[in-house]
Amino acid sequence: MTDRESIPMPTPAEKDRAVAAILSVGLRPRPTLWGELRRTLAGFPPRMAFFGVGDCLFLACLVTGLCLVPTALAAGNHSPLAPLLFLFSPVLYASLHLLTQWKEAMSGTLAWKQTCRLSFRVLTAWRMLLFGGAAVALTVPADLLFWQLSGRQLSLLWMLALSASSLFLYAALTLGCQGASLVWSVLLPPLVWLGLGLIPLVWPPAAVWLEGVPALVFLLLATVGLGAFLWQLDRSISHPRKGGSPYAVR
């Protein structure tokens, strides 16, 4: 008997255990949105997400304030509020996202941040969640103010449902356009939303139809929009893409 024949060979079960052990050590588990955000939050405070874009935050707040003025005037004059709520509810989120993306692309820091220790996909997800939270935090007191100014003609729940559906659907649309070129991913969502929002403003039957939609429908749309937004964020983290196709082992 040769030396080779005397060497005991592993059983199939032992082979499977050895392969599993090697894979568990060699392959990093697929990242998840919440896991990556928890890890990011542990090492980077939220203010780091806005490093270098303070002017964008100021301009976004200024644009939002300017958009709230005609809505408040319409509420005070008892004019139809639904078209303005639908159009302006995502304005803070849209302004923050558009201005930060545009500034980083134009200043040349976009490519630099993609090489930093903090994943640019995680940074973008963290920013978009903060943008969405800020927009929701503004929506509630703004709708309450408009409700009071309008003499409580509309249901407050209906107004909040309309604003939430508008905001979350816009956020989902923004993420859905991320795979396009930089110019289109930045400009297409606000252009599409502006076109949709102008329809009830310039065509009165559309405004009447919008006011007749039940609050439950808007709540369902808000749930769908929020779910699509979170699903796309999670997918951007767990399925990284480069050039439109997967480049990492899943």
Side-chain angles (χ1 to χ4, degrees), residues 168-188:
F168 292 139
L169 288 175
Y170 180 87
L173 174 64
T174 301
L175 274 178
C177 295
Q178 287 296 305
S181 63
L182 177 63
V183 174
W184 284 113
S185 65
V186 172
L187 296 181
L188 186 59

Side-chain angles (χ1 to χ4, degrees), residues 236-247:
S236 69
I237 297 298
S238 58
H239 297 77
R241 292 178 176 270
K242 183 178 181 180
S245 59
Y247 71 94

Side-chain angles (χ1 to χ4, degrees), residues 121-206:
R121 293 187 306 275
V122 177
L123 175 61
T124 301
W126 187 227
R127 277 182 176 176
M128 298 184 88
L129 284 174
L130 293 175
F131 292 166
V136 170
L138 175 66
T139 294
V140 176
D143 281 355
L144 183 59
L145 173 63
F146 301 148
W147 180 61
Q148 293 285 355
L149 290 175
S150 64
R152 305 183 181 183
Q153 293 182 352
L154 296 174
S155 167
L156 179 60
L157 175 62
W158 185 90
M159 295 173 63
L160 291 172
L162 172 60
S163 298
S165 63
S166 176
L167 170 61
F168 292 139
L169 288 175
Y170 180 87
L173 174 64
T174 301
L175 274 178
C177 295
Q178 287 296 305
S181 63
L182 177 63
V183 174
W184 284 113
S185 65
V186 172
L187 296 181
L188 186 59
L191 290 177
V192 170
W193 203 257
L194 182 61
L196 292 175
L198 287 177
I199 294 176
L201 281 176
V202 301
W203 190 36

